[in-house]
Amino acid sequence: MIEFSDVGLRYGNGPEILRDLTFSIEPGSFHFLTGPSGAGKTSLLRLLLLSLKPSRGRVTMFGEDVSDLTQDRLLQMRRHIGIVFQEFRLLDHLTTFENVALPLRVLGQPESEYRPNVTELLEWVGLGERMNALPSLLSGGEKQRAAIARAVIARPKVLLADEPTGNVDPELSSRLVHLFAELNRTLGMTIILATHELPLLDQFNYPRMLLSKGELVIHD
């Protein structure tokens, strides 16, 4: 599904942020992405999100070399990639239901079609009784679960998570990762979750992608 071959990334004329990245991600797998602050985790996630192109090397997503794709084709491919951020990024004037349904509205689906699916997903993530609440009335954990639901409502093939547990306590962090694990198990979604919380990693038996000084090592 994802393949990097000798990939390097630099911004402008500066030094390479990422160097010689060569790895592959199989469909339906779950990987943690970890490493010290400044190691390049967010830059790697941006490459995976197709919002950046590598300075050198080759990135293949869904069987296509991304360097050869038009902007329109890149936008089409991004519809198969979901992203969850640390900051939640919910729209304050929309209810939980409306925030989660937003990707489907953007795709032009009528509410009569998406309402049952959004309602079912909100029930599944434990927000069934909070679907009409505005973000200002949600706890941090509820906001993050809403953000996760929004990221997966369109059933992406790949789900990226950039420090999704950074704003919640350790107990809730563990519960959120269990939610990601359940999405991986039940929907077959390929998940790459970036975190620097080492005690959290030790609770789960998933491969780790370790970034250090721009270079990557995968520990199975």
Side-chain angles (χ1 to χ4, degrees):
M1 178 172 285
I2 302 169
E3 187 172 0
F4 278 48
S5 299
D6 297 319
V7 168
L9 176 69
R10 60 165 39 94
Y11 294 104
N13 295 321
E16 282 197 325
I17 304 299
L18 300 172
R19 295 188 299 278
D20 303 321
L21 302 190
T22 297
F23 65 89
S24 60
I25 301 292
E26 296 298 322
S29 61
F30 189 127
H31 286 76
F32 286 118
L33 173 60
T34 188
S37 178
K41 297 190 296 296
T42 298
S43 293
L44 176 52
L45 288 175
R46 291 184 66 191
L47 287 173
L48 291 164
L49 189 58
L50 303 180
S51 61
L52 280 180
K53 288 189 177 182
S55 305
R56 62 180 176 89
R58 184 180 67 196
V59 174
T60 303
M61 298 278 285
F62 313 121
E64 298 186 59
D65 186 338
V66 302
S67 62
D68 296 332
L69 300 182
T70 64
Q71 192 64 29
D72 285 345
R73 180 59 184 143
L74 283 173
L75 289 173
Q76 292 174 358
M77 289 183 71
R78 283 191 198 127
R79 293 177 182 174
H80 299 298
I81 306 170
I83 179 75
V84 178
F85 299 99
Q86 178 177 338
E87 305 87 2
F88 313 135
R89 301 194 182 185
L90 301 176
L91 298 181
D92 291 337
H93 65 287
L94 298 182
T95 66
T96 304
F97 178 92
E98 291 166 337
N99 267 289
V100 173
L102 190 58
L104 301 181
R105 289 179 56 192
V106 170
L107 292 174
Q109 286 191 26
E111 183 175 345
S112 58
E113 289 185 11
Y114 65 67
R115 176 166 283 278
N117 292 334
V118 174
T119 300
E120 180 183 13
L121 180 57
L122 285 171
E123 293 282 356
W124 191 78
V125 299
L127 293 175
E129 296 183 356
R130 306 292 278 158
M131 66 174 63
N132 295 317
L134 293 172
S136 60
L137 299 177
L138 301 179
S139 68
E142 289 172 334
K143 289 178 182 179
Q144 192 58 288
R145 280 182 280 153
I148 293 169
R150 181 184 56 190
V152 304
I153 188 61
R155 295 295 181 94
K157 296 178 181 178
V158 175
L159 180 61
L160 308 175
D162 190 3
E163 301 282 358
T165 62
N167 287 328
V168 296
D169 60 55
E171 180 181 354
L172 186 52
S173 293
S174 179
R175 289 168 56 191
L176 287 172
V177 177
H178 277 290
L179 177 58
F180 282 106
E182 191 67 12
L183 288 167
N184 170 256
R185 187 184 68 82
T186 59
L187 300 180
M189 202 171 286
T190 303
I191 294 178
I192 300 173
L193 191 156
T195 181
H196 64 276
E197 298 179 55
L198 295 182
L200 183 64
L201 300 182
D202 292 336
Q203 299 177 38
F204 300 89
N205 188 28
Y206 292 119
R208 302 183 187 186
M209 306 169 67
L210 174 61
L211 263 178
S212 179
K213 297 181 180 178
E215 298 181 348
L216 183 72
V217 176
I218 297 182
H219 299 282
D220 294 325

